[in-house]
Amino acid sequence: MPEARIIKVLVASPGDVEKEREIIEKVIKQWNIRNADRLHLHLEAVLWESHSAPETGERVQGILNKQIVDTCDCAVAVFWTRIGTDTGVAPGGAVEEVERMLENKKPVMLYFSDVPISPKKIDLQQKQKLDDYRASLQPQALYGEYDDLHKFREDFSQQFDIQIYRWFCQTREGEVDLGADSGISLNRYQAALKEELGYIRMLGMPGVESVKVNLNDDTFVPLRLSDRQESGFHPRKQDLLQARGGIEEMLNPDEVMQRAFKKRRMLLVIGDPGSGKTTLIKYYALCVLEEDHYKRLGFAAPPPVFYLPLRDLAREKEGGYDSLPANLARWSKKHHHSLDVPFFEEALHRGTSLVLLDGLDEISNTEERIKACKWIDAAWSGFSKARFVVTSRATGYRKDEGIELAADYERADVQDFTVEQQERFLKNWFAGAFLQDPCPKDVDEKEWARLKGAEADERTEKMVAHLKEEKNKGLRQLAAIPMILQIMAILWKDRDYMPESRVKLYEAALDYLLEFRDKRREIVPLLSAVRARQVLAPVSLWMQEKLKKDEAGRDPMQKKMQEQLEKQDKPPAVEDFCDYLVKRAGLLVETGAHDYLFRHKSFREYLSGVELVKNALRTSGYLDTLISGFSDDWWEEPIRFFIAQSDAELFDLFMEKLFDSPISDELNQKQQLLLQTIIEEAPLKKVDALRKKLLEPDTTVSRQRVILDCLKTIAKPLALPALEQFRAQELEKGSTGNTDVLDRAEEVILALGGKALERASEKSLSGKPLSIRNPHEQNAEYILIPGGNYWYSAMKKAVDVADCYVAKYPVTNKLYRLFIGWLEEKDTGKNHASAFRAELERI
């Protein structure tokens, strides 16, 4: 094995950037851990504190030059508010070191800090000299700038990786050949991938909203392996009910990958919006890229890992999707790494590799999604040594619509947080958020960490207690979704505030991102949150209706934004507004050089719902267009947000249009569940349209059933007269002898406080009623099983059995969710049975 080459990296700076010097030293150590053995290259951070020795005979800087500067191969220099002490040759020691390195043709990375500081702590003379030096560099040097330490750590780590490869890992002929299993190009690509996927930046700006991907054992994405033959529609609550209490069947990400790849080469991950699918992808990537973590996923050696958001799939000239290597090459180029197609082809064929394909559902068109599935199948069969992970929303992978992978895959469904997982997530999140606050210079770092940890524990306990309050049951359901729980945590950390509904939660989150966060930092927002939403809502609906995708070109999006900005007084330039949304608010992401993407599509869907309400109120017939999307999963979330912000009149009009539409004649299971959900989420409800439609003679039997279910969910006694008229006039449809609709109507009448239908003639031969209603058990129906002489196979003889009654209990969505909640919590050691019974009695 060749001997490792030692590369000395000079760390040059005045004395006001101690934390940056610590960061540089740590990044260099981490580089060695990742790369030293593989590249036969060892980096040594050279600092005057550790590498110089007492000496006399000439000026101090001259001694330092001889002892450390001239022995170094490259340098990293950082400046903030000071330039240092004049050396007689240069205005400061660090400046002289930089100039000496450059004179000797040695590379230098140069950074200037714009981190805010109190004016009282600034030496104006020093600052002026530094500003003059910075200005003198502009024509001849490209230097880095940063405004907080988190950004410096991120930027420097990535840029340092790139520069070390450029400076010391290339020969005249090109990149160094590192053997059959790796190469310098692969190392550069993996390093860039680690930076791209290493942080959860769902809400944008560095700070508490940017959390490093957790590689500890408490990674917060609970999964359940599923039968791959099940349908695309996958109501997880029902599965949880069947899973012996639910908790036993949950697996962590490591277990899921190990089990999946033992039998197959593809893992399909299905989850709801905000459930943590992309976080899971990042976790898998980081496990492979970090030292030794690949073993926990079941790999014997660290495989090359490749990543592609499926929304970025590009076409070839003939119209089909380009190959996997071509798409990977295109993605790497967008991220400033020009790697060619043959490189990826060779890397995928060499040995076991891991390919991460994120967001099948983000391809909005059904036909295109079907083609994407075929493209994934082709990649799976074409690269037989690769392991694949594909993610999608449940609504984005529907076999009944032809959206199906033919490849042999294992399916895992992302589960909601249990109560215990919510608490663990909040504890970890608050600890990470508080510990990112900088430690004051006069406070011991260990004591600072202890104080911040205690503060995080206190904040966690208060938030958990708030969510457990009886009045906050709705919030507890939302807290089961990882993305929503993170938004809750951000709001609670900075404002001690928690919204009461899903809509209010998104509204508060946008207020925070667009305005309140900057105000807390004494930064004037470019636009108020209200004015910014007035621009973003129409643009979001334009993407929903016209583009039918989550990504938009920069020019057309800015044109749409400009149309809205022109309606406001003294608006900012559209370029500045977009820049603000990307860099400060964090709502948009720049993808490549010419596209914008909402950082999380749920924000765009919420804003689309806001605009839908306005359009429905001011445009005659607009609801017809919206109703036509009721059967399309692309419209599911915007419709939910639309109904959740509608008044009673708009709710009633929506119901009228829906049940006049052919769509309502044969609603499938998914559509019926959506209908029940939007009714529950509607803040105001009227039953006029439903009552009218129920009594119309031409209403079909399938519509009658759904209308009755809707009236039961709305639970307004105003519907009773219409229901009793429906029963009295025997308007129910169905085949002769089929009492399904009539029984359903009876059940709704009783649930709304009406009286049971008198059926005096319905008696058994023994004179007992065929059924009895018990008003003390939610009008449960007791159905007579006549007694008689029955053959009992177990005893192999005939036995006499007396008359008996079997109870038939009505089950509402609310009761069902309560039962599921009880199942989820029953293993915690707490006694929830009494609370569950009390809740049943209240309903």
Side-chain angles (χ1 to χ4, degrees):
M1 179 181 291
E3 188 175 339
R5 178 186 174 189
I6 305 297
I7 299 295
K8 293 187 174 184
V9 183
L10 175 67
V11 183
S13 74
D16 60 341
V17 287
E18 293 177 2
K19 290 191 178 297
E20 284 88 336
R21 291 171 69 84
E22 293 173 3
I23 289 171
I24 293 168
E25 191 173 11
K26 187 174 182 179
V27 167
I28 291 173
K29 289 179 180 178
Q30 290 173 339
W31 192 97
N32 285 328
I33 292 171
R34 294 195 312 270
N35 303 299
D37 292 341
R38 185 171 66 252
L39 300 181
H40 310 300
L41 205 66
H42 184 85
L43 308 184
E44 179 183 347
V46 177
L47 302 92
W48 70 265
E49 306 99 297
S50 56
H51 286 68
S52 62
E55 186 176 338
T56 61
E58 60 177 298
R59 64 191 181 90
V60 173
Q61 188 59 49
I63 296 172
L64 291 174
N65 289 344
K66 181 178 65 176
Q67 288 188 358
I68 62 175
V69 178
D70 293 345
T71 66
C72 288
D73 301 283
C74 63
V76 179
V78 187
F79 297 90
W80 187 16
T81 64
R82 298 180 55 81
I83 199 167
T85 304
D86 194 303
T87 67
V89 175
V95 173
E96 182 173 336
E97 291 170 359
V98 168
E99 292 178 347
R100 191 174 182 88
M101 292 291 289
L102 293 174
E103 287 172 6
N104 292 329
K105 310 282 187 203
K106 295 180 179 180
V108 177
M109 297 180 72
L110 188 58
Y111 290 89
F112 287 94
S113 171
D114 293 320
V115 173
I117 185 174
S118 170
K120 296 179 181 180
K121 296 182 179 181
I122 297 177
D123 183 325
L124 296 179
Q125 189 175 10
Q126 281 279 313
K127 186 68 167 63
Q128 184 59 54
K129 288 182 179 180
L130 180 61
D131 289 343
D132 293 341
Y133 173 62
R134 186 172 180 174
S136 71
L137 290 171
Q138 287 182 350
Q140 58 188 21
L142 178 64
Y143 52 77
E145 299 172 306
Y146 60 96
D147 56 13
D148 64 47
L149 291 178
H150 184 87
K151 179 172 174 54
F152 173 72
R153 183 185 292 109
E154 281 195 71
D155 289 351
F156 173 67
S157 179
Q158 180 179 8
Q159 294 161 2
F160 182 73
D161 224 7
I162 293 170
Q163 293 294 48
I164 291 299
Y165 286 128
R166 283 188 60 238
W167 295 338
F168 304 110
C169 297
Q170 289 186 327
T171 65
R172 291 180 183 178
E173 289 75 25
E175 295 180 336
V176 173
D177 181 7
L178 298 177
D181 294 328
S182 63
I184 196 64
S185 293
L186 181 59
N187 294 330
R188 290 174 62 187
Y189 172 80
Q190 304 281 254
L193 201 60
K194 184 175 179 180
E195 289 302 320
E196 176 70 20
L197 302 180
Y199 289 87
I200 302 170
R201 302 186 187 92
M202 179 192 72
L203 297 177
M205 295 297 294
V208 298
E209 298 87 359
S210 185
V211 180
K212 193 168 185 179
V213 174
N214 185 9
L215 291 182
N216 296 328
D217 293 333
D218 55 0
T219 297
F220 47 86
V221 182
L223 299 149
R224 185 181 67 80
L225 284 173
S226 310
D227 180 0
R228 66 158 292 174
Q229 300 302 321
E230 65 195 359
S231 66
F233 175 64
H234 187 67
R236 292 177 299 139
K237 295 296 185 184
Q238 181 177 342
D239 296 327
L240 198 58
L241 178 63
Q242 297 171 350
R244 299 184 60 191
I247 296 176
E248 294 88 347
E249 297 297 319
M250 288 190 187
L251 303 171
N252 66 42
D254 302 350
E255 294 168 328
V256 165
M257 181 169 280
Q258 289 176 25
R259 294 192 190 187
F261 288 163
K262 274 185 180 179
K263 298 180 180 179
R264 300 179 171 96
R265 288 193 299 111
M266 182 176 291
L267 172 62
L268 173 65
V269 178
I270 300 294
D272 289 339
S275 62
K277 301 183 296 297
T278 297
T279 297
L280 179 65
I281 283 281
K282 291 183 175 187
Y283 171 79
Y284 281 149
L286 267 289
C287 276
V288 172
L289 295 170
E290 288 283 355
E291 191 76 13
D292 288 336
H293 286 292
Y294 63 87
K295 296 177 182 177
R296 63 172 62 176
L297 301 181
F299 292 104
V305 59
F306 303 98
Y307 169 75
L308 183 69
L310 287 170
R311 64 173 177 271
D312 286 351
L313 269 183
R315 295 185 176 281
E316 52 190 8
K317 292 180 180 178
E318 291 75 15
Y321 287 123
D322 216 336
S323 68
L324 174 60
N327 273 284
L328 291 172
R330 188 175 287 104
W331 187 89
S332 71
K333 187 175 181 181
K334 286 175 66 175
H335 292 78
H336 307 289
H337 292 275
S338 297
L339 302 175
D340 57 17
V341 174
F343 160 75
F344 286 103
E345 287 179 343
E346 182 184 358
L348 287 164
H349 280 301
R350 277 180 188 167
T352 300
S353 60
L354 180 61
V355 180
L356 306 173
L357 304 175
D358 192 22
L360 177 63
D361 58 284
E362 294 183 12
I363 301 172
S364 60
N365 181 277
T366 299
E367 292 302 318
E368 291 301 314
R369 214 178 303 157
I370 292 172
K371 293 177 183 177
C373 286
K374 293 179 180 178
W375 177 87
I376 294 170
D377 290 334
W380 174 83
S381 61
F383 297 100
S384 59
K385 296 180 180 180
R387 306 290 187 268
F388 290 79
V389 179
V390 183
T391 70
S392 176
R393 290 186 181 186
T395 54
Y397 187 76
R398 291 184 52 78
K399 294 183 181 182
D400 55 353
E401 294 179 1
I403 307 169
E404 180 180 7
L405 293 168
D408 191 22
Y409 66 84
E410 194 79 42
R411 169 171 168 159
D413 289 86
V414 183
Q415 303 296 300
D416 285 350
F417 277 165
T418 63
V419 173
E420 291 73 25
Q421 288 167 332
Q422 291 173 31
E423 293 185 21
R424 188 163 71 243
F425 170 85
L426 290 172
K427 184 178 178 65
N428 292 335
W429 191 92
F430 281 122
F434 281 110
L435 287 172
Q436 288 190 33
D437 294 341
C439 176
K441 287 188 176 181
D442 56 345
V443 178
D444 178 72
E445 288 197 6
K446 289 185 178 179
E447 177 62 14
W448 177 254
R450 188 191 69 78
L451 291 172
K452 286 296 177 180
E455 190 176 357
D457 288 343
E458 180 185 11
R459 193 62 60 92
T460 302
E461 289 173 6
K462 287 183 177 180
M463 182 169 168
V464 169
H466 180 81
L467 289 173
K468 286 183 176 179
E469 291 180 18
E470 182 62 27
K471 64 180 181 180
N472 295 324
K473 289 187 296 183
L475 285 181
R476 284 203 299 274
Q477 293 175 13
L478 290 176
I481 303 170
M483 185 200 74
I484 300 296
L485 186 59
Q486 182 171 355
I487 293 175
M488 289 178 172
I490 291 170
L491 295 171
W492 189 262
K493 177 181 183 292
D494 287 345
R495 297 170 60 191
D496 284 331
Y497 165 73
M498 191 70 67
E500 297 176 356
S501 69
R502 187 168 180 254
V503 164
K504 291 294 183 183
L505 185 61
Y506 275 88
E507 183 180 329
L510 285 172
D511 285 344
Y512 171 76
L513 295 172
L514 293 167
E515 183 174 2
F516 298 145
R517 179 173 54 187
D518 275 354
K519 279 188 172 180
R520 291 188 71 256
R521 299 173 182 174
E522 298 183 354
I523 299 171
V524 178
L526 194 66
L527 281 179
S528 69
V530 172
R531 291 180 65 192
R533 280 202 293 268
Q534 289 170 349
V535 177
L536 291 168
V539 171
S540 298
L541 187 56
W542 164 70
M543 295 173 71
Q544 178 74 25
E545 288 185 325
K546 304 299 181 183
L547 298 187
K548 292 183 172 56
K549 61 181 183 178
D550 292 304
E551 196 168 6
R554 175 178 297 182
D555 291 342
M557 181 177 270
Q558 288 191 354
K559 182 179 178 182
K560 284 292 177 183
M561 287 185 176
Q562 183 64 41
E563 292 174 3
Q564 303 304 320
L565 286 169
E566 287 175 352
K567 300 174 184 178
Q568 300 190 0
D569 293 332
K570 298 179 181 178
V574 67
E575 295 84 1
D576 294 339
F577 182 60
C578 288
D579 196 52
Y580 177 80
L581 294 174
V582 171
K583 295 181 179 178
R584 293 216 60 82
L587 276 181
L588 296 185
V589 179
E590 291 179 300
T591 61
H594 305 292
D595 296 305
Y596 285 126
L597 175 75
F598 272 81
R599 192 169 291 276
H600 197 287
K601 68 186 297 180
S602 288
F603 285 116
R604 186 193 59 73
E605 290 167 328
Y606 162 76
L607 289 163
S608 295
V610 171
E611 192 65 13
L612 283 170
V613 174
K614 296 178 184 176
N615 288 359
L617 290 172
R618 65 193 175 202
T619 306
S620 176
Y622 186 83
L623 271 182
D624 293 331
T625 303
L626 187 57
I627 294 298
S628 66
F630 194 78
S631 60
D632 187 348
D633 55 55
W634 173 247
W635 279 96
E636 179 174 327
E637 288 294 309
I639 288 174
R640 284 183 62 187
F641 283 119
F642 163 77
I643 290 293
Q645 298 170 89
S646 300
D647 60 16
E649 296 297 330
L650 196 51
F651 174 86
D652 199 47
L653 182 58
F654 182 87
M655 290 298 166
E656 178 185 334
K657 294 283 188 181
L658 177 63
F659 285 100
D660 281 341
S661 165
I663 289 173
S664 65
D665 196 35
E666 290 295 338
L667 293 176
N668 59 33
Q669 184 186 15
K670 179 178 80 88
Q671 292 164 336
Q672 290 186 49
L673 182 63
L674 174 59
L675 183 55
Q676 293 295 316
T677 299
I678 65 176
I679 289 174
E680 291 173 353
E681 293 179 347
L684 299 170
K685 308 173 184 74
K686 280 182 67 175
V687 295
D688 292 9
L690 293 171
R691 290 187 303 182
K692 178 182 176 183
K693 196 68 182 176
L694 181 66
L695 297 176
E696 288 180 358
D698 58 349
T699 299
T700 62
V701 63
S702 59
R703 282 198 179 103
Q704 286 181 343
R705 291 192 187 100
V706 175
I707 291 171
L708 289 168
D709 288 344
C710 291
L711 290 172
K712 186 175 181 180
T713 303
I714 294 172
K716 287 190 178 295
L718 284 173
L720 268 176
L723 287 162
E724 290 169 346
Q725 181 182 345
F726 177 80
R727 181 177 65 183
Q729 296 180 0
E730 299 182 349
L731 296 175
E732 71 277 5
K733 300 287 180 65
S735 57
T736 303
N738 187 347
T739 63
D740 170 61
V741 175
L742 186 59
D743 290 345
R744 194 172 300 207
E746 183 81 358
E747 190 175 295
V748 180
I749 289 170
L750 291 170
L752 299 185
K755 294 182 178 179
L757 181 66
E758 295 291 339
R759 298 178 182 177
S761 61
E762 293 184 359
K763 302 278 187 179
S764 69
L765 295 175
S766 61
K768 296 178 181 177
L770 295 179
S771 70
I772 305 169
R773 293 282 181 176
N774 186 350
H776 303 293
E777 293 182 286
Q778 288 205 322
N779 286 300
E781 182 181 12
Y782 282 76
I783 302 170
L784 177 68
I785 306 297
N789 187 266
Y790 294 92
W791 176 259
Y792 189 26
S793 59
M795 299 175 66
K796 296 184 178 179
K797 67 177 184 177
V799 295
D800 291 325
V801 178
D803 292 348
C804 64
Y805 284 91
V806 176
K808 174 185 173 184
Y809 290 92
V811 178
T812 64
N813 289 338
K814 191 172 184 180
L815 282 170
Y816 180 68
R817 283 196 301 272
L818 281 168
F819 179 59
I820 293 299
W822 176 75
L823 286 178
E824 289 177 340
E825 296 180 359
K826 72 173 184 176
D827 287 352
T828 63
K830 303 173 184 177
N831 183 7
H832 296 274
S834 60
F836 182 56
R837 282 196 297 270
E839 188 64 37
L840 289 177
E841 291 170 3
R842 278 197 295 273
I843 297 176

